[in-house]
Amino acid sequence: MFNRKWEVYANISQKEALQLFKQIIGKQGMDYKIEKAPPNIMYDPNNEQFIIKTKNFSINVIYVSNDPITRIFANLLGTAHNFKGISFLSIGYNKSNSAELPIILRKFTEMSPESPWNITAYPRFRFAVLLQLITKQKRKRFLYK
């Protein structure tokens, strides 16, 4: 259906990201529907994915939990409940009719409680400085062309 894909991590929980996208897309007056998909095992084995679909794009909001080693230690220490996770956004679109997508993603960035590219603030990605830099550059290139 869509011939382009843009993927990026966001330092916001899946639940918060979903609510924020619903709010932004609703204010734009766009029709959308939300579907659920099975968990993406690579990122988290328990939480379903949410797919926001419009006629011009789809946004797949995937929950990213701790890696298995961090999960074990967090459970042993009793701190697992402190990790709310971050999101992985997988966005499908067509270049010819996606004018509103950068606007929606810019508003998402502006309205996020923290800088979405600041993934090193989350324990799983604490040492992922290069991935954070790549994430920030991908956002700049896509959103501010």
Side-chain angles (χ1 to χ4, degrees), residues 17-74:
L18 182 63
Q19 294 295 28
L20 195 52
F21 277 124
K22 287 177 8 183
Q23 178 184 352
I24 294 166
I25 293 170
K27 283 185 180 179
Q28 293 293 317
M30 298 175 67
D31 291 329
Y32 69 92
K33 66 180 180 175
I34 297 176
E35 296 177 359
K36 292 182 180 181
N40 184 317
I41 305 294
M42 185 171 120
Y43 295 112
D44 182 79
N46 302 318
N47 292 282
E48 293 178 308
Q49 303 174 52
F50 291 96
I51 305 167
I52 305 167
K53 291 186 173 185
T54 72
K55 66 178 184 174
N56 294 328
F57 60 85
S58 71
I59 303 173
N60 191 345
V61 184
I62 301 169
Y63 181 86
V64 179
S65 68
N66 296 308
D67 60 89
I69 294 172
T70 304
R71 216 177 285 139
I72 289 169
F73 284 113

Side-chain angles (χ1 to χ4, degrees), residues 103-117:
I103 294 167
I104 289 166
L105 292 174
R106 270 190 233 113
K107 288 182 187 239
F108 178 81
T109 299
E110 292 166 6
M111 295 173 71
S112 290
E114 297 180 38
S115 299
W117 60 81

Side-chain angles (χ1 to χ4, degrees), residues 69-119:
I69 294 172
T70 304
R71 216 177 285 139
I72 289 169
F73 284 113
N75 286 330
L76 289 173
L77 297 172
T79 60
H81 64 279
N82 294 336
F83 299 129
K84 61 181 180 177
I86 64 174
S87 299
F88 181 71
L89 308 176
S90 181
I91 302 170
Y93 65 99
N94 292 320
K95 189 173 182 174
S96 60
N97 59 357
S98 64
E100 67 273 316
L101 183 57
I103 294 167
I104 289 166
L105 292 174
R106 270 190 233 113
K107 288 182 187 239
F108 178 81
T109 299
E110 292 166 6
M111 295 173 71
S112 290
E114 297 180 38
S115 299
W117 60 81
N118 186 18
I119 60 173

